[in-house]
Amino acid sequence: MSRARCNVLVCTGGGCVASGALELSAAMRAAIQKRGLENEVQVFETGCLGPCAVGPVAVVHPDGILYQNLKPSDAERIAEEHLLKGRVVKDLAWESRPDAMEALGLKEIPFFRKQVKIVLRNCGLIDPLKIEEYIARDGYMALAKVLTEMSPTQVIDEVKKSGLRGRGGAGFSTGMKWELCHKAPGTEKFTLCNADEGDPGAFMDRSVLEGDPHSLIEAMTIAGYAIGSSQGYVYVRAEYPLAVERLSRAIEHARDRGLLGKNILGSSHSFDLEIRMGSGAFVCGEETALMTSIEGNRGEPRPRPPFPAYKGLWGKPSLLNNVETYASIPLIILKGSSWYASMGTAKSKGTKVFALAGAVKNTGLVEIPIGMQLGELIYDIGGGMREGKTFKAAQIGGPSGGCIPRHHLNVPVDYESLTELGAIMGSGGLIVMDEDTCMVDISRFFLEFVQDESCGKCTPCRVGTKRMLEILDRICEGRGQEGDIERLVELGQTIKDTALCGLGQTAPNPVLSAIRHFREEFVEHIRDHKCRAGVCPELVRAPCSNACPAGVDVPGFVSLIGEKRYDEALALHRQRNPLAAICSRVCFHPCESKCRRSTLDDPLAIRSLKRYMVDQETEFNLPPMNLDGANAARKVAIVGAGPAGLSCAYFLARLGYKPTIFEAASEPGGMLVQAIPAYRLPRDLLRREIGMIEKLGVKIQTNKALGRDFTLESLKDKGYEAVFVAVGAPRGTGMGLEHEDMPGVTQAIDFLRQYNLTGKVPVGKNVVVVGGGNAAVDAARTALRLGARSVTVAYRRTRAEMPAYMEEVEEAEREGVKFQFLVAPVGLANGTGKLSAVKMRRMSLGDFDRSGRRKPVADEKTDFDMPADQLIAAVGQALDMPALPLKQNDRQLIAINPVNGQTSEAWVFAGGDAVSGPSSVIEAIAGGEKAAEGMHAHLGGVGEIPWKSYPAVDTFFDPDADPVMGVRPGLKLIPVARRKGFTEVEATWASGVALAETKRCLRCDYRESTVAVGAKAAN
């Protein structure tokens, strides 16, 4: 290596070269020469550094500063500021400390900090075209040691003791494979390398060939010595021209220096290498097919036995490993098997290279100790999910692998643990998927790949995967049938048992593992014709509508707003969701999270548009109703006047029924009136929308509690033929603290309910709220409005993991609420029989739990007292009702049929929080609608449900026009200084703002055949 003052290492791996790394390197040299620094600073072109998504990248040594997303024009700034003046160009550096002059050094960057580089030890550090640099890094020292100090059996024993297993997928013991080939009879043997690497998104082997080709040459020469082979072949796909070029030059340089060829290093061992290029057939990753291809024949697998160790290439004993396996050999020989075996797990030793791809922030090439938790790899090295999305699954092992769901983020990445979950280590492809991935579609993708790549030699693989693909195509197109899942499993197991080669035997893995872990998504596609991720086109009218639990026609009502047809927009909205005004204030707008506009700039502000729409309403336009005298005569009861109960009543009324709602409280509305403060949901608006439902013929009786004033049996005795139970989850759960019942300690739900129903509630001066959900934030803001001097919300996780709506958290902070994260209560202090302080314990985040979040771990040495005269607990809610003859699920909530809301008692239906636990208003509305449909069917109702189809909307839309550009407007909020009591803090937009925002809608619902939007003739 150069002894210059400073070295600039420019990554010239395949990805960076494609992004302009060679031009960057030339520009860097020119900028250095321009400043007369050519004797002090040198530029080197290296192999892959790893963070491929932010390439081109370069590292300045010895500072260890990594620059990313570089353009040739950036060379001038780096040369002037960093190389000449010694100042880091912070805006180009990977991660900069905001409080420091320098950026993070290479070893401090989280992407690199937990990596252990053995296979990739030289990639990004040396010029792969200069053998001198490889030798300077102890290159060929292992070969020299083997040829001068070790016998072939000693080499094999060292590899066996290291625990190295094949990194090509199967994980067979490398030392044992070498031993079998060594013992195989015959004087002519071959040493082979599989560098074909056909998995989608995998580039581990390619990067080693491009960045450190001599490590492969040295290892194969050692392997040839160990098994008694004098000839080796590297089988590499022709699609890797850069890898082929660098490997070819490295072979030439090794020959020139006597490291390949006759009598290597003066020994009796002779060995040479040739490159054989394949045409990219995936099946040639299978060892017998690869050997057939080298022989010049069509790449097809052969039956085994005989195994290649005895009868391989040209019928001779042959050893085959992949590039990554070989690349570990020189260090095992130099540092010893015990050193290598000290890394990894009991059965899986060493490190593994992964091509990390998908929905993580930091994609690229990584090398980790085997046994690292999958969550560590994704969150600590990968940086977590992009755009705040939720982790869903990781597809590991490529088309032969399987998916790992979020409740297994703690799984150690080793051969045995992954196999138990239906995946395999594979060659190292790792695709991270978020909530926007459809598991049925991803199964189809991998199976389509395997089906296309099948060599066709055996019927199970050729025909079986075709039949599986046909079933998956049907399911994704909304034509799935009952029994399709079982057929997929049966076919998959048959193929696994009967296919000729390893690739065919593992082809069904992605489908089988997806069914194992995400069976409900397959069921939804078949039964409900719904793709929850919004991916399958035939099942998704528009991503926003698909994401809405109630299925509201979002593009339709937005386009009607844009034409100032507000009554029609509201009518369309209330077709699927009766509580439009309520949801315009409190909905968590899942529709916006799926809005495709976010791929251009920001998602459409759908909730704010809805708010503007409902504020234009002057009088109710009741929805169309089925005036059915027979239905009106049937007695139907609803227990609970919350959003689920109100929704169920609304839809039953539209079918002609006259339901009666029994509400335990003095006011209808359930948690809408009892738990949500008026500054978020004005009470006159709530009463008005409930009044609309009453106008449909719904009767509401208040102060009628289930178990106190009536029972299910008494309703049956009175002639009620169907009942919908929507009692919510109104009981707060305890914190498990001693003296939790002392004065000054209360539940958030009780605190909010008492104030919202009576207008009075005791409030302390120093209030501590424990919890991280919406109830905690609502209680904190309410206490502040009622005169508390200080209010602190204590949450045991971090801000990013709070389940509360982030806009509510931000407004709470603006109003003066303090937040303390990573703390949890462990005790209560009382001086005179009243609460005086909450004993808190600091937490840190440990392993992942089943929700995919890190578990808070307590540190007993960090206890401290938080002064408080009132503690409000908001740690959870539970079902609170008398014993009912209804089965409960494992969460002690009412168990229902997910299709129609029916309970274990055929005439009783249930929905809302009593079924799901604390959830959102829109989800409760959807549960009420589902139950209304189920009750109608139970009562013998026939015919089409009127709101299930989307009516045509005759608004103008030009599909050929470019998207209207504009900036998403923010919420219109009353300034904190002007907020008084419980008056609403959010205001509606001005007309011009709202109408302009409607034009940003991309109209994802548009179809060529849709008359409603095909109104170009209006021009």
Side-chain angles (χ1 to χ4, degrees), residues 338-414:
S338 58
W339 166 80
Y340 189 83
S342 67
M343 292 171 283
T345 65
K347 295 182 178 181
S348 303
K349 304 296 185 181
T351 62
K352 181 73 187 80
V353 181
F354 287 97
L356 186 59
V360 285
K361 294 175 182 175
N362 306 328
T363 58
L365 205 63
V366 301
E367 185 172 3
I368 63 167
I370 291 181
M372 175 183 280
Q373 290 182 351
L374 179 62
E376 280 187 88
L377 173 54
I378 292 171
Y379 283 90
D380 295 348
I381 294 176
M385 310 306 290
R386 288 200 303 259
E387 300 173 6
K389 299 285 187 178
T390 301
F391 171 79
K392 186 172 187 176
Q395 175 74 20
I396 188 166
S400 300
C403 61
I404 308 294
R406 68 181 178 188
H407 54 270
H408 286 302
L409 275 171
N410 280 333
V411 66
V413 180
D414 63 50

Side-chain angles (χ1 to χ4, degrees), residues 498-795:
T498 58
L500 173 62
C501 73
L503 296 181
Q505 291 160 12
T506 56
N509 279 356
V511 180
L512 296 178
S513 71
I515 291 174
R516 173 180 175 181
H517 298 298
F518 296 95
R519 191 184 187 96
E520 69 279 6
E521 285 199 36
F522 287 79
V523 172
E524 287 174 359
H525 277 66
I526 296 169
R527 182 191 66 204
D528 305 331
H529 301 288
K530 181 177 179 62
C531 173
R532 66 170 66 175
V535 170
C536 300
E538 288 82 357
L539 303 181
V540 179
R541 186 169 184 271
C544 49
S545 297
N546 189 71
C548 175
V552 170
D553 185 357
V554 176
F557 84 72
V558 167
S559 67
L560 287 165
I561 294 172
E563 295 186 0
K564 301 184 181 181
R565 296 158 64 180
Y566 305 122
D567 288 345
E568 293 174 71
L570 260 169
L572 182 63
H573 187 286
R574 289 191 174 126
Q575 190 67 3
R576 305 295 290 263
N577 176 1
L579 306 182
I582 291 168
C583 284
S584 75
R585 266 72 174 181
V586 301
C587 186
F588 72 113
H589 45 79
C591 49
E592 294 185 18
S593 70
K594 300 294 185 182
C595 178
R596 285 197 185 124
R597 181 76 201 205
S598 63
T599 61
L600 287 180
D601 38 48
D602 293 307
L604 200 68
I606 297 169
R607 187 178 71 83
S608 293
L609 284 171
K610 186 185 303 184
R611 164 67 188 267
Y612 172 78
M613 172 184 70
V614 298
D615 284 358
Q616 310 311 305
E617 186 176 36
T618 55
E619 61 180 43
F620 283 125
N621 291 309
L622 297 181
M625 298 176 60
N626 176 17
L627 300 177
D628 188 317
N631 286 352
R634 313 289 289 269
K635 294 189 73 173
V636 178
I638 294 171
V639 183
L646 292 169
S647 170
C648 185
Y650 172 84
F651 288 107
L652 284 172
R654 289 183 60 189
L655 292 170
Y657 298 94
K658 301 293 182 182
T660 300
I661 302 178
F662 299 96
E663 168 57 45
S666 58
E667 257 188 89
M671 290 297 104
L672 296 173
V673 69
Q674 297 174 31
I676 300 178
Y679 61 81
R680 288 180 59 204
L681 181 57
R683 294 305 181 252
D684 58 341
L685 180 145
L686 173 60
R687 296 186 187 102
R688 188 167 180 267
E689 207 141 49
I690 293 174
M692 178 201 69
I693 294 174
E694 289 180 297
K695 286 182 180 180
L696 300 180
V698 176
K699 297 177 183 178
I700 301 178
Q701 296 185 25
T702 57
N703 295 312
K704 298 291 184 181
L706 179 64
R708 184 190 69 196
D709 302 304
F710 63 93
T711 64
L712 292 179
E713 282 304 312
S714 70
L715 290 176
K716 194 171 189 179
D717 292 341
K718 290 180 180 180
Y720 286 96
E721 299 179 70
V723 176
F724 178 60
V725 178
V727 294
R731 176 171 56 84
T733 53
M735 297 175 289
L737 304 179
E738 192 176 2
H739 307 305
E740 202 170 312
D741 56 350
M742 74 164 62
V745 181
T746 186
Q747 288 287 335
I749 194 68
D750 297 331
F751 175 80
L752 291 167
R753 182 186 294 117
Q754 184 176 345
Y755 178 76
N756 288 331
L757 292 180
T758 68
K760 296 182 295 183
V761 68
V763 65
K765 295 299 181 187
N766 297 310
V767 179
V768 172
V769 182
V770 175
N774 289 311
V777 178
D778 286 342
R781 296 176 74 184
T782 296
L784 206 61
R785 282 167 167 77
L786 294 177
R789 190 165 50 237
S790 74
V791 179
T792 302
V793 175
Y795 182 53

Side-chain angles (χ1 to χ4, degrees), residues 22 53 59 107 269 306-307 314 483 511 525 584 713 738 746 759 804 875 966:
L22 297 179
V59 180
K107 294 182 180 179
H269 179 55
F307 291 96
W314 289 299
V511 180
H525 277 66
S584 75
E713 282 304 312
E738 192 176 2
T746 186
V875 296

